[in-house]
Amino acid sequence: MANLKSLEAKFQESIDQEIKIEPKDWMPEKYRQTLIRQISQHAHSEIVGMLPEGNWITRAPTLRRKVGLLAKIQDEAGHGLYLYSAAETLGIERDELVQQLNTGKAKYSSIFNYPTLTWADIGAVGWLVDGAAIMNQVMLTRTSYGPYARAMVRICKEESFHQRQGYEILLTLSRGSEGQKRMLQDAVNRFWWPSLMMFGPSDAESTHTAQATKWKIKRKSNDELRQQFVDICVDQARILNITLPDPDLKWNEERGHYDFGEIDWDEFWNVVKGNGPCNKQRLDARIKAYEDGAWVREAAMAYAEKQAKRKAKTAQVA
Amino acid sequence: MKNWPLWEIFIRSKKGLHHKHVGSLHATDSEMAIENARDVYTRRNEGISIWVVESDKITATKPEENPELFEPAADKIYRHPTFYKMPDDVKYI
């Protein structure tokens, strides 16, 4: 009979040989729980992420902008669903996941606790927030758990239009009036640092990184991804004719990367703990949607059961 | 609150290809499952045919039983063309 140690050894061997772990495979309980938490929090982030952008649907300045924004938000709903589907393969059900979000037991990416105050914010979200998400998600296409990796491949294909949609908004503003250029710079000033925070605590402060790396849940570290993101954004910012709000941003010839300033970790932890500008609004919106929709879910189920009974009765009589 | 049943979704992207498993979703019945699958998995014309199956109607093998289950094929190399020695000058075989 296989004992725990030999199961763990075989599991680690699969990981080391880049053999994906699939739902019915034996896995350490901690691997399962870590993934349930990570995948579901990723899913919650997509769903909550619809809210700051939904704020501007009725005020998109043109039809092109409106259809693009609607399509993007619809994609985020879809991404949430792919991820809930992946999480559910690990032995947890949807209603429990939703409860975890609504009770504050589960977290979601803290970037979505910031408000979208102007139309330029919608562009900044597409460029910076989706940009940072893409960096992380491309890395995760190589994650060890099969359903999560496959969901990431699908998401990455869809995400690239999101970033272009945002960048195009900002390009248009950068070529506009003085007021539009100021609005663009202001949006970037407010979204730059929170976007860098999306990559999580520094590697030194990240307690879970070692195990996540050993199990190949995580393929690149927080700091690695953050550095990649900064390097790419500096050039993209130049084309927008804006300054990134970091006086310490400087090319380092020796490292071959941009040096950048220290993140305000107090702000980071404060928002994670629930004290960001919109934490309460976000959760209230999710709870309201869930409670207001209860009768629809129940009615739909009752209708389906009624139809099924009717069909069975007709079959009996025939 | 009760969850809606879970359905596994299979999409044929174009004629000539098999339906491929793409994920799961919740729906009250097969009609809703198809409409939801259309909305979730074919936003970019990824499919011309959708199959939906209630997840609990699928029977799956258990990975730990694989060695025994698939053992019969393991030593039948004579199922492969390379087992059969052909002279170099025999064409089209």
Side-chain angles (χ1 to χ4, degrees):
Chain A
M1 255 290 100
N3 67 8
L4 187 61
K5 265 205 147 60
S6 82
L7 285 169
E8 282 174 347
K10 265 178 103 175
F11 173 80
Q12 190 59 51
E13 211 184 298
S14 290
I15 301 277
D16 295 340
Q17 290 176 9
E18 298 290 341
I19 294 170
K20 292 290 181 217
I21 308 299
E22 297 294 351
K24 291 182 109 68
D25 291 336
W26 184 89
M27 59 186 82
E29 192 51 33
K30 186 143 179 276
Y31 179 83
R32 185 188 301 275
Q33 292 308 324
T34 299
L35 278 172
I36 286 175
R37 189 170 181 82
Q38 181 168 332
I39 298 172
S40 63
Q41 292 191 161
H42 199 162
H44 298 324
S45 299
E46 300 281 358
I47 303 299
V48 175
M50 296 166 73
L51 295 169
E53 291 186 294
N55 187 30
W56 280 89
I57 292 174
T58 57
R59 296 174 291 172
T62 67
L63 184 58
R64 179 192 177 87
R65 294 300 179 221
K66 195 189 221 80
V67 297
L69 184 57
L70 277 167
K72 178 177 197 285
I73 293 168
Q74 191 180 32
D75 269 357
E76 309 298 9
H79 295 179
L81 291 174
Y82 308 152
L83 289 161
Y84 283 131
S85 167
E88 288 170 51
T89 64
L90 288 160
I92 186 163
E93 296 201 7
R94 179 73 65 87
D95 58 356
E96 194 179 342
L97 294 174
V98 174
Q99 281 308 99
Q100 288 178 351
L101 174 64
N102 291 355
T103 56
K105 182 166 176 239
K107 300 211 177 300
Y108 52 86
S109 189
S110 43
I111 186 69
F112 301 118
N113 291 317
Y114 290 84
T116 44
L117 299 174
T118 71
W119 173 250
D121 287 17
I122 297 299
V125 166
W127 176 43
L128 296 173
V129 176
D130 284 79
I134 286 170
M135 203 117 284
N136 186 45
Q137 286 163 180
V138 168
M139 180 270 287
L140 286 171
T141 57
R142 296 182 301 126
T143 197
S144 53
Y145 187 57
Y148 195 19
R150 290 190 288 273
M152 286 299 110
V153 170
R154 210 186 166 89
I155 286 176
C156 284
K157 277 201 187 112
E158 301 185 346
E159 201 84 32
S160 53
F161 113 66
H162 299 183
Q163 196 182 21
R164 285 187 172 205
Q165 174 256 15
Y167 196 73
E168 198 187 85
I169 288 170
L170 300 182
L171 265 174
T172 302
L173 292 171
S174 76
R175 295 165 181 162
S177 67
E178 284 314 307
Q180 286 171 326
K181 290 176 188 170
R182 272 196 304 274
M183 183 169 56
L184 159 58
Q185 181 65 63
D186 170 70
V188 173
N189 289 346
R190 284 180 290 101
F191 273 90
W192 176 248
W193 290 102
S195 299
L196 293 195
M197 292 177 199
M198 285 176 70
F199 297 100
S202 65
D203 294 350
E205 302 298 314
S206 180
T207 45
H208 303 296
T209 288
Q211 186 61 268
T213 304
K214 182 158 194 257
W215 280 336
K216 295 191 181 171
I217 293 176
K218 202 174 192 149
R219 304 305 302 254
K220 278 191 181 175
S221 79
N222 296 354
D223 287 341
E224 248 185 292
L225 290 171
R226 192 170 7 239
Q227 179 67 75
Q228 224 180 304
F229 180 69
V230 172
D231 291 343
I232 287 171
C233 285
V234 173
D235 291 330
Q236 292 173 340
R238 187 172 303 129
I239 292 165
L240 292 173
N241 222 358
I242 43 127
T243 45
L244 295 172
D246 182 357
D248 298 319
L249 197 57
K250 207 166 83 171
W251 177 252
N252 183 322
E253 188 60 47
E254 214 180 297
R255 290 198 310 123
H257 293 287
Y258 281 94
D259 288 336
F260 54 97
E262 194 61 32
I263 286 172
D264 181 351
W265 294 112
D266 287 337
E267 180 184 335
F268 174 77
W269 289 114
N270 208 21
V271 177
V272 167
K273 285 191 175 84
N275 301 318
C278 299
N279 295 59
K280 182 169 192 312
Q281 261 165 280
R282 300 297 178 231
L283 216 52
D284 285 350
R286 286 311 314 151
I287 292 167
K288 181 174 200 303
Y290 187 73
E291 290 176 353
D292 287 359
W295 75 267
V296 177
R297 293 192 297 277
E298 285 168 32
M301 199 65 234
Y303 177 75
E305 283 165 357
K306 190 173 174 183
Q307 293 298 97
K309 272 201 193 96
R310 200 169 275 173
K311 231 192 201 164
K313 221 175 179 183
T314 322
Q316 274 175 7
V317 169
Chain B
M1 165 156 316
K2 199 158 77 121
N3 280 319
W4 289 347
L6 190 64
W7 300 75
E8 300 301 326
I9 311 300
F10 303 80
I11 308 274
R12 190 201 309 277
S13 60
K14 61 183 194 197
K15 298 248 176 106
L17 297 176
H18 286 296
H19 284 76
K20 203 164 83 158
H21 180 241
V22 293
S24 67
L25 51 80
H26 293 272
T28 56
D29 61 16
S30 59
E31 200 182 308
M32 187 195 279
I34 284 184
E35 286 177 358
N36 287 358
R38 185 269 318 272
D39 291 341
V40 179
Y41 292 108
T42 72
R43 281 196 299 283
R44 289 168 175 78
N45 296 312
E46 297 99 314
I48 50 113
S49 172
I50 298 173
W51 285 352
V52 302
V53 184
E54 278 191 80
S55 305
D56 62 11
K57 298 289 182 294
I58 293 181
T59 305
T61 58
K62 302 189 184 76
E64 59 268 24
E65 291 171 359
N66 279 12
E68 200 179 284
L69 182 64
F70 296 111
E71 189 268 334
D75 58 355
K76 297 187 172 65
I77 59 172
Y78 44 80
R79 286 183 173 152
H80 295 276
T82 44
F83 182 80
Y84 300 88
K85 299 293 164 248
M86 296 286 106
D88 288 332
D89 58 347
V90 179
K91 297 194 191 342
Y92 309 116
I93 194 165

